[in-house]
Amino acid sequence: MPAYFQRPENALKRANEFLEVGKKQPALDVLYDVIKSKKHRTWQKIHEPIMLKYLELCVDLRKSHLAKEGLYQYKNICQQVNIKSLEDVVRAYLKLAEEKTETAKGESQQMVLDIEDLDNIQTPESVLLSAVSGEDTQDRTDRLLLTPWVKFLWESYRQCLDLLRNNSKVERLYHDIAQQAFKFCLQYTRKAEFRKLCDNLRMHLGQIQRHHNQSTAINLNNPESQSMHLETRLVQLDSAISMELWQEAFKAVEDIHGLFALSKKPPKPQLMANYYNKVSTVFWKSGNALFHACTLHRLYHLSREMRKNLTQEEMQRMSTRVLLATLSIPITPERTDIAHLLDMDGIIVEKHRRLATLLGLQSPPTRQSLINDMVRFNLLQYVVAEVKELYNWLEVDFHPLKLCGRVTKVLNWVRDQAEKESDLQHYVPHLQNNTILRLLQQVAQIYQSIEFSRLASLVPFVDTFQLERSIVDAARHCDLQVRIDHTSRTLSFGSDLNYSTKEDSPVGPFLQNMPSEQIRNQLTAMSSSLAKAIQVIKPASILQEHEEQSQQAITAYLKNARKEHQRILARRQTIEERKERLESLNIQREKEELEQREAELQKVRKAEEERLRQEAKEREKERIMQEHEQIKKKTVRERLEQIKKTELGAKAFKDIDIEDLEELDPDFIMAKQVEQLEKEKKELQERLKNQEKKIDYFERSKRLEEIPLIKKAYEEQRIKDMELWELQEEERISNMKMERDKALEHKQRMSRMIEDKENFLSKIKAARSFIYEEKLEQFQERLVEERKKRLEERKKQRKEDRRKAFYHQKEEEAQRIHEEQLKKEREERERLEQEQREEEEREYQDRLRKLEEQERKQRARQQEIEERERRKEEERRAPEEKPSKVTHKSCVKCGSWRRGGEDRREECKDEREAPPRPRDQDRDGGEKSTWRSDKDKENPRRTKTEMDDDGWTTVRR
C-alpha cells in the first residue's frame, strides 16, 4: 500500500478526485490497495462507503475478478464484527449489476442471447458461422451491448453464492441470491447457466453436510434452514419446469426428497401440496402416466385431510382430474422388442421402486390398485356428472357397440372445457387408446371374426391407420390374439387353438373366454360335466355316500377336536411370535440405519481429520523444504570455499568475497567451473569421434553382406506368390462356371411362371381401371381449380413485385443522386487541398533557393578568408625574417587557425559574417542535431569532430 494512505478516508478522497477527472482505473487501484492492506483489517464505519465505491467502479469497468477479491477481503474484515454490512454491500453490488444489464437490454433490440454458454462465448463454430453469415450492424451492436453485461451479471451471482456458502449468518441472503439467479436464467433463457447453477447448489449442499463442524457452518437439523433450502429447491423445480429442462427438474425432485428425509418433522401441508403438483407435471412430461396419477391421488388425499376450507367446486375439479388421470394409465405397460430381448424387467422394477420412494410409498403402485383406491375412498361421488359414468363404461359395463359413442361424448365435453380446465386436455389421447383396447377385448369375446370397416365404424374418433396400429400394439403388448386378413379385410379373434394368452391378462369387463382360452380349461370342464351326469344317473347312492362322508367327517372332528384346538392355539402363538420377531427385525433395522448414519458421520469426521493431517503434512513439508534450502545454501557456501582454495578458483574469485559469491548467479559460477573441464571434454569428443568411425565402418560392411541374401529371399517369395495366385485363379474360374450353371437352371424353372404372372396382372389392372379413371377425373378437377387459384395468386404476386420494384428503383435513384452529390463535394475538397499543397510546395522551393544562395555566398567568403590567412602565413615564414615562437589555436566556431600573440578579444571574422548555428532540439524531444560547414563536409580528412557534455559538436582542423 502507498505510504501516504495512513487512513482509509484519505484513500476515498483520492479516489473521488480521480473520478472527478474521469480516471476510473486509478481510483479503483487506490481503493483496492486500501482493501487489500493488512493495516486496515479491523472493520470501521468508513469501510462500507469505500467498498460500495469500489464495487461501483468494478461494475462500471466490468472487472468481476477484482469485485470477487474485494468481496472476499471485506468478508474477512467484517465477518466477526458487522455481518449486516456484508449483506448490504452484496445486495448493492447485485443491484448495480442488474441495473446495468437492464439498461443494456433497453438499448439493445435483442431480447434473448443466441450464445449457448456465457463462459465460452467465442467457440470455433460461432467464429466460422459469423464469417459466412450476413450479420448486420444491429446484430453486432446488440451482441456488444447486451452479452458482456449478461455475462457479468451471471458471474456476479455465481461469485456471491460461492462467497456466502456454508455460512449460517448470511443464510437468508444466500437463498435470496439463488432465487434471483433462477429468475435471471428464466428472464434471459440461459439453460446452460441454469444447469451450472443447479450443480453448484447441489455441491454447496454436499459441502454443508461434509463440513458441519466449522464455527459458522449451517445446521441442516435446524427447521428454519430446512425450510429455506426447501423453498429454494421448489423455486428451482418451478424454473426447470418453466424452461422445460426435465432432467434438471427430476434432479430437483430428488434433492427435495433428500431434504424431506433429513427433516425429523413432517413438512408443512402447503409445501407438500406444491411439491406433489410440480412432481405430477414432471412425471407427465416424462411419459410416466402411472406415477402421474399416483401423485394426483396423494395430492387429493392430502387436500381432503388438511384443507378445512375446501369448496365443492375445488373438490369436483380435483376428483375429475384424478379420475381422468387414473383411467388414462395404459392398461398394459408398453414394452419394445429390445426390452423383451434384453430382459429389462429388473431394471424397470428398480426404477419404479425409486420413483415410489420419491412419493413416500413402500411399493410401486399399479393401475388396478389406483382404481381400487379410487373406488374404496368413494371418489366418484365428487366427480362432475358429465364424466362420472366414464369409469363404469371403461372398467365395469360390457357393451362394445355403444362404448366408443359414450366415451366420445365425455371427450367432447373435456375438449369444450379447454379454457376453464386446460390441464384435462392432455388426457384425451390416452383415453382414446384405452377405449380402443377395451373395445378390442370386448369384441374378441363376442365375435370370432369381424370386418375391418365394421370395427372402424365403432371407433369414430380415429382413422383406419391409427386403428390398425392400435390393433397391432394390442397383439404385441396385451397378448390379445387377433389376426388381420388384408385380402378379405377382416379380423379374426382366438382362431389359433394351439396358443393361449397368459393367465395374468388385464382386468376389465368380462363375458366369456375365447376358444383359444377355453382350450386351457377343457379337462376341468369335462370333469364338471361328468360329475353332473353322475348326479343325474345315480342320485340316491350319491346322497348316501355324502351322508357317510359327513358322518366320517363329524367323527374325525370329534376325535381330533382337542388336537385341532391345540393346533389353532399354537398357530396363534406362532403368529404372535412372528409379530414379535418382525418388530425385533424392525428395531434391528432402525438400529442398523442409525449405526450406518453414525458410520457416515464417522467417515466425515475421518475425512476432516485426514484433511487436517494433510494440511499438517503440507506444513511439515514446507518446513522440511526450508531446512533443505538452508542446508543447500550451507553446502553451496562450503563448495564455494573449496573452489576458492583451488588454484584456478583462487585466481577466478580472487577479488570477490565469499558472501558476494553466494549472491552471484549460479550460471556465472558454473561458467567458471566449466572452464576447468573444457580440456577433458575435448578429449572425450575425440574418443567418441573415433568410436563413431569404427561403428560406421562395421555397419556398412554388415549391410553389404546382407544384400545378396535379401535378393535370394525375394526371388523365393515371388515364386511362391505366383503359384498361389495361379491356384486361386483356377478356383475362381471354376466357381464362376458353377454359379452360371445354377443361374441358367433357375431361369428355366422360373420361366414357367411368366404366363401366370401376366394373367394375374391383367386381372388386377382390369379390376383397378375403373377406380383409376374415377380418381383421375377427380384429380383433373382439382388440378383445374388449383391451377386457377395459383394463376390468381401469381397475378397478385406479380403486381406486388412490380410495386416493390418501382419503389425500390425510386429509392436507388435517390440514393444515386445523393452519392453523386457527395462525390462532387469530395472532389472539390480534394482539389482545394491539392492546390494548397502545391502552393506550400512552391513556397518551400523558394525558401530553399534563397538558403542555397546564402550558403553559396558564405562559402565564397570562407574561401577568401582562408586565402588571406594562407598568404599571411607564407609571409611570416619568409626566410629573411627570424622565426618567432607562436602558438596556433583553432577557432571553436569557424575552425580557422590564429596565432597566440594576437589579441584574444578579437572577434572571429567568420563569427561576424557566418550565419548563426542552428539550435539543438529540446532535450525531451529526442536526438540533437549537429552542424558542420560545407567545406568541412567536402574535406573530411582535414576535420576532427568532438562532442562536449551538452551535446554540441565541435569541428577541429
Side-chain angles (χ1 to χ4, degrees):
M1 175 180 170
Y4 48 82
F5 289 139
Q6 299 298 330
R7 300 178 62 189
E9 294 86 347
N10 297 335
L12 183 60
K13 183 178 179 182
R14 185 62 182 275
N16 290 327
E17 292 174 356
F18 276 123
L19 291 176
E20 288 176 359
V21 296
K23 296 183 178 180
K24 295 184 179 180
Q25 186 62 41
L28 181 63
D29 296 337
V30 168
L31 297 177
Y32 179 74
D33 292 336
V34 173
I35 296 169
K36 197 79 178 289
S37 175
K38 296 182 180 179
K39 295 182 181 179
H40 305 291
R41 288 297 184 186
T42 304
W43 186 84
Q44 302 176 18
K45 194 173 182 180
I46 191 63
H47 276 94
E48 185 169 345
I50 289 176
M51 194 63 196
L52 291 174
K53 181 64 71 175
Y54 174 82
L55 292 176
E56 182 180 355
L57 291 172
C58 289
V59 172
D60 290 338
L61 298 174
R62 290 205 296 265
K63 303 285 187 181
S64 60
H65 58 285
L66 293 180
K68 179 182 178 181
E69 293 181 10
L71 287 172
Y72 273 90
Q73 295 294 334
Y74 193 71
K75 174 188 174 185
N76 296 331
I77 292 172
C78 68
Q79 184 173 6
Q80 303 298 333
V81 181
N82 188 2
I83 197 67
K84 183 66 170 56
S85 178
L86 177 63
E87 294 183 11
D88 296 338
V89 166
V90 171
R91 291 185 187 276
Y93 171 55
L94 292 178
K95 185 178 180 181
L96 283 173
E98 289 173 355
E99 289 175 355
K100 290 289 185 180
T101 307
E102 289 296 328
T103 304
K105 183 180 178 182
E107 295 175 357
S108 171
Q109 296 180 3
Q110 189 178 14
M111 293 296 104
V112 180
L113 299 179
D114 54 355
I115 300 170
E116 292 184 0
D117 192 355
L118 291 175
D119 295 335
N120 189 14
I121 295 177
Q122 286 292 341
T123 60
E125 294 81 5
S126 64
V127 173
L128 290 175
L129 187 61
S130 63
V132 299
S133 62
E135 188 181 42
D136 55 357
T137 306
Q138 184 63 41
D139 294 337
R140 290 192 295 271
T141 304
D142 293 343
R143 188 168 65 247
L144 293 176
L145 281 176
L146 185 58
T147 302
W149 283 113
V150 173
K151 180 180 179 182
F152 180 82
L153 182 58
W154 159 244
E155 291 175 351
S156 302
Y157 285 132
R158 185 169 58 182
Q159 291 166 4
C160 293
L161 289 174
D162 291 335
L163 174 72
L164 304 174
R165 64 184 180 185
N166 201 13
N167 194 336
S168 58
K169 298 180 180 179
V170 289
E171 189 177 4
R172 182 70 264 175
L173 177 61
Y174 172 84
H175 291 286
D176 291 342
I177 294 174
Q179 295 178 16
Q180 291 178 12
F182 288 132
K183 293 179 182 178
F184 159 80
C185 295
L186 276 175
Q187 183 178 2
Y188 296 96
T189 321
R190 305 305 310 159
K191 294 186 178 181
E193 283 69 32
F194 183 83
R195 295 189 184 95
K196 293 179 182 179
L197 180 61
C198 295
D199 293 337
N200 288 339
L201 293 180
R202 206 169 291 115
M203 180 183 66
H204 294 170
L205 183 61
Q207 290 176 352
I208 291 173
Q209 294 175 350
R210 288 195 299 271
H211 306 293
H212 62 280
N213 294 326
Q214 296 179 0
S215 59
T216 60
I218 296 174
N219 185 12
L220 289 177
N221 295 324
N222 187 6
E224 187 176 357
S225 299
Q226 291 175 359
S227 65
M228 285 189 287
H229 276 280
L230 284 173
E231 181 182 356
T232 303
R233 292 311 187 280
L234 286 173
V235 174
Q236 174 185 346
L237 178 58
D238 196 6
S239 303
I241 292 172
S242 300
M243 299 177 70
E244 296 184 354
L245 295 174
W246 306 114
Q247 189 71 23
E248 293 298 329
F250 185 77
K251 291 180 181 178
V253 170
E254 290 183 334
D255 294 341
I256 294 172
H257 180 263
L259 291 173
F260 285 161
L262 289 175
S263 177
K264 296 180 180 179
K265 296 181 180 179
K268 297 180 180 179
Q270 297 86 349
L271 190 65
M272 289 300 298
N274 192 12
Y275 169 74
Y276 284 142
N277 193 12
K278 290 178 171 54
V279 170
S280 65
T281 304
V282 174
F283 282 142
W284 182 260
K285 291 297 181 180
S286 64
N288 199 330
L290 175 62
F291 282 90
H292 169 75
C294 183
T295 308
L296 292 181
H297 274 264
R298 302 280 290 180
L299 178 60
Y300 172 79
H301 294 310
L302 180 67
S303 302
R304 284 193 61 184
E305 293 173 1
M306 298 299 177
R307 287 189 61 179
K308 298 179 180 179
N309 56 350
L310 191 63
T311 62
Q312 186 68 22
E313 184 179 357
E314 291 177 348
M315 181 69 76
Q316 282 187 353
R317 185 171 63 253
M318 292 177 62
S319 303
T320 305
R321 188 181 180 188
V322 171
L323 175 63
L324 293 178
T326 306
L327 296 179
S328 298
I329 302 173
I331 296 176
T332 56
E334 296 183 0
R335 293 185 60 191
T336 61
D337 295 334
I338 297 297
H340 280 292
L341 293 174
L342 296 180
D343 193 15
M344 297 174 65
D345 291 335
I347 300 174
I348 295 173
V349 170
E350 184 63 27
K351 178 183 177 182
H352 285 181
R353 288 178 181 173
R354 181 183 174 189
L355 296 178
T357 305
L358 297 179
L359 299 178
L361 301 176
Q362 298 296 330
S363 60
T366 60
R367 185 177 188 273
Q368 191 59 37
S369 64
L370 294 178
I371 292 175
N372 294 336
D373 291 340
M374 184 175 62
V375 175
R376 185 171 69 252
F377 292 105
N378 199 10
L379 183 142
L380 297 174
Q381 66 177 348
Y382 303 105
V383 180
V384 296
E386 289 81 1
V387 188
K388 192 171 185 179
E389 294 298 326
L390 184 62
Y391 165 72
N392 293 327
W393 295 337
L394 287 176
E395 301 297 330
V396 179
D397 294 342
F398 186 94
H399 206 305
L401 300 180
K402 295 182 179 180
L403 175 62
C404 293
R406 294 171 176 175
V407 174
T408 304
K409 294 180 181 178
V410 177
L411 299 182
N412 292 334
W413 180 86
V414 172
R415 291 191 184 96
D416 294 335
Q417 304 298 317
E419 296 181 357
K420 297 181 181 179
E421 301 291 336
S422 59
D423 296 333
L424 305 180
Q425 303 304 313
H426 50 257
Y427 299 125
V428 173
H430 294 75
L431 289 172
Q432 290 178 352
N433 294 332
N434 287 346
T435 304
I436 294 172
L437 184 56
R438 286 300 188 203
L439 175 65
L440 290 173
Q441 291 177 348
Q442 295 180 13
V443 168
Q445 298 177 36
I446 298 175
Y447 298 97
Q448 186 174 359
S449 64
I450 186 173
E451 291 183 0
F452 188 85
S453 58
R454 171 62 174 162
L455 183 65
S457 64
L458 297 177
V459 189
F461 47 76
V462 293
D463 55 6
T464 56
F465 176 78
Q466 293 180 353
L467 179 59
E468 185 173 351
R469 183 169 184 174
S470 301
I471 294 170
V472 174
D473 291 338
R476 290 174 57 196
H477 303 298
C478 305
D479 290 329
L480 179 65
Q481 190 181 149
V482 57
R483 179 175 296 178
I484 302 176
D485 190 355
H486 289 281
T487 58
S488 59
R489 300 291 292 173
T490 58
L491 276 72
S492 302
F493 301 100
S495 58
D496 190 1
L497 300 179
N498 297 325
Y499 175 80
S500 179
T501 58
K502 297 180 180 178
E503 293 184 1
D504 54 347
S505 59
V507 179
F510 180 79
L511 181 63
Q512 63 179 356
N513 291 323
M514 290 189 295
S516 59
E517 296 175 354
Q518 294 176 2
I519 198 70
R520 179 193 292 123
N521 302 325
Q522 187 174 6
L523 295 176
T524 306
M526 186 183 296
S527 174
S528 60
S529 299
L530 292 175
K532 291 179 182 178
I534 291 172
Q535 290 178 1
V536 172
I537 294 172
K538 297 180 179 180
S541 59
I542 292 174
L543 290 175
Q544 185 179 359
E545 184 178 355
H546 283 176
E547 290 179 358
E548 292 177 357
Q549 290 178 356
S550 300
Q551 290 297 329
Q552 291 177 2
I554 292 171
T555 305
Y557 171 74
L558 294 175
K559 183 178 180 181
N560 300 322
R562 188 177 296 277
K563 292 181 180 180
E564 289 293 331
H565 183 64
Q566 294 294 332
R567 188 177 63 81
I568 292 171
L569 293 177
R571 183 174 179 274
R572 183 179 298 175
Q573 183 67 24
T574 304
I575 291 172
E576 293 295 333
E577 291 177 356
R578 186 176 297 174
K579 288 182 179 179
E580 292 176 0
R581 186 165 63 252
L582 289 175
E583 290 178 359
S584 63
L585 288 175
N586 290 331
I587 295 171
Q588 184 178 0
R589 185 174 68 253
E590 292 177 357
K591 185 177 180 181
E592 289 177 355
E593 291 178 356
L594 182 61
E595 291 177 354
Q596 186 176 0
R597 284 197 293 270
E598 290 293 335
E600 291 178 356
L601 292 176
Q602 188 68 20
K603 190 184 296 183
V604 171
R605 295 192 192 97
K606 287 182 179 179
E608 184 67 21
E609 292 175 358
E610 182 66 25
R611 186 181 63 81
L612 297 174
R613 194 181 301 112
Q614 189 69 21
E615 291 179 355
K617 189 183 295 184
E618 291 178 356
R619 289 195 295 270
E620 182 68 19
K621 188 184 295 183
E622 291 179 358
R623 186 183 63 78
I624 293 172
M625 288 178 65
Q626 292 178 358
E627 292 180 355
H628 281 315
E629 289 292 333
Q630 295 177 359
I631 294 171
K632 186 177 179 181
K633 289 181 180 179
K634 184 177 180 181
T635 306
V636 170
R637 185 184 180 90
E638 294 176 355
R639 186 176 180 184
L640 289 174
E641 290 178 354
Q642 292 177 1
I643 292 173
K644 197 169 182 180
K645 289 179 182 179
T646 60
E647 183 179 356
L648 183 59
K651 292 180 180 179
F653 308 108
K654 178 175 64 176
D655 299 331
I656 304 175
D657 191 9
I658 192 69
E659 301 294 337
D660 298 332
L661 282 175
E662 294 179 356
E663 297 177 358
L664 288 177
D665 189 5
D667 295 336
F668 176 76
I669 300 173
M670 185 63 67
K672 292 293 184 181
Q673 291 180 335
V674 166
E675 290 178 0
Q676 300 178 3
L677 302 175
E678 286 295 331
K679 186 176 180 181
E680 296 180 3
K681 287 185 178 180
K682 291 180 180 179
E683 293 177 356
L684 180 61
Q685 288 176 359
E686 290 293 333
R687 288 197 300 271
L688 291 174
K689 189 178 292 184
N690 295 332
Q691 188 176 3
E692 181 182 356
K693 290 180 180 180
K694 183 177 179 181
I695 292 174
D696 187 23
Y697 174 78
F698 177 73
E699 185 68 24
R700 188 164 52 250
S701 61
K702 185 174 67 173
R703 293 188 181 183
L704 289 173
E705 292 295 330
E706 284 180 351
I707 289 173
L709 297 176
I710 292 173
K711 288 182 179 180
K712 182 179 178 182
Y714 169 72
E715 290 295 333
E716 293 177 355
Q717 185 64 30
R718 186 178 65 81
I719 294 171
K720 290 180 181 179
D721 292 344
M722 193 66 184
E723 293 176 355
L724 179 62
W725 181 82
E726 291 176 354
L727 182 61
Q728 291 178 352
E729 188 69 16
E730 292 177 359
E731 185 177 356
R732 183 180 66 83
I733 292 170
S734 62
N735 290 334
M736 290 179 66
K737 289 180 179 179
M738 292 174 62
E739 289 177 359
R740 184 177 180 279
D741 294 338
K742 290 181 180 179
L744 291 174
E745 184 180 354
H746 185 66
K747 177 183 178 184
Q748 292 176 1
R749 184 168 53 84
M750 297 295 289
S751 61
R752 294 177 296 174
M753 300 171 62
I754 294 175
E755 185 178 356
D756 296 335
K757 183 197 73 170
E758 295 296 335
N759 294 333
F760 178 72
L761 288 177
S762 62
K763 289 179 181 179
I764 291 177
K765 289 179 180 179
R768 301 284 178 88
S769 61
F770 178 74
I771 300 173
Y772 168 73
E773 291 175 358
E774 184 179 355
K775 290 186 176 181
L776 181 61
E777 290 178 359
Q778 295 176 359
F779 171 74
Q780 291 295 338
E781 292 176 358
R782 289 199 305 270
L783 179 62
V784 171
E785 293 177 358
E786 187 68 24
R787 185 172 296 170
K788 290 180 181 178
K789 187 189 299 182
R790 292 190 180 182
L791 286 174
E792 187 66 26
E793 292 176 356
R794 193 177 303 170
K795 186 185 296 182
K796 291 180 181 179
Q797 184 66 29
R798 283 200 297 269
K799 288 182 181 179
E800 183 69 19
D801 293 342
R802 285 197 297 271
R803 187 179 63 81
K804 290 182 179 179
F806 172 74
Y807 285 116
H808 183 67
Q809 185 177 3
K810 194 174 180 181
E811 291 177 359
E812 288 182 351
E813 184 66 23
Q815 182 70 18
R816 184 182 61 79
I817 294 171
H818 180 65
E819 290 178 355
E820 288 179 355
Q821 185 178 359
L822 292 177
K823 184 178 180 182
K824 288 179 181 180
E825 293 177 357
R826 186 171 61 253
E827 290 177 353
E828 182 65 22
R829 189 167 55 252
E830 291 177 354
R831 186 182 61 78
L832 294 175
E833 291 176 356
Q834 182 67 22
E835 292 178 356
Q836 185 179 358
R837 286 196 298 270
E838 291 177 356
E839 183 66 25
E840 291 176 356
E841 182 67 23
R842 283 196 299 272
E843 292 177 359
Y844 173 74
Q845 292 296 333
D846 294 340
R847 289 198 301 271
L848 187 61
R849 281 196 301 272
K850 291 178 181 180
L851 290 174
E852 289 178 353
E853 183 66 23
Q854 187 178 358
E855 188 177 359
R856 186 179 57 78
K857 293 179 180 180
Q858 184 179 353
R859 284 201 301 270
R861 287 196 298 272
Q862 281 183 344
Q863 289 178 2
E864 291 177 0
I865 292 170
E866 288 177 358
E867 185 66 24
R868 193 163 52 247
E869 290 291 333
R870 187 177 58 79
R871 285 198 300 269
K872 288 181 181 181
E873 184 68 23
E874 289 177 355
E875 290 176 359
R876 281 197 300 271
R877 290 182 181 179
E880 62 272 16
E881 294 181 3
K882 186 176 179 180
S884 61
K885 184 181 284 186
V886 294
T887 58
H888 297 79
K889 290 187 178 179
S890 172
C891 180
V892 176
K893 295 181 180 180
C894 64
S896 61
W897 291 84
R898 64 180 180 180
R899 293 191 302 171
E902 296 177 1
D903 190 3
R904 295 177 182 270
R905 291 174 296 176
E906 183 181 359
E907 293 181 356
C908 181
K909 296 179 181 180
D910 292 343
E911 187 175 0
R912 294 195 302 270
E913 298 175 358
R917 184 170 59 184
R919 301 284 296 175
D920 291 339
Q921 296 181 3
D922 186 28
R923 294 180 182 271
D924 297 332
E927 298 179 356
K928 294 184 178 181
S929 61
T930 59
W931 180 86
R932 293 175 58 188
S933 64
D934 293 341
K935 191 169 186 65
D936 293 335
K937 294 177 183 178
E938 294 173 358
N939 300 316
R941 296 182 180 178
R942 296 176 56 193
T943 61
K944 182 178 180 182
T945 304
E946 296 180 359
M947 183 177 288
D948 56 8
D949 295 333
D950 293 334
W952 288 79
T953 303
T954 304
V955 182
R956 297 185 181 275
R957 298 185 187 281

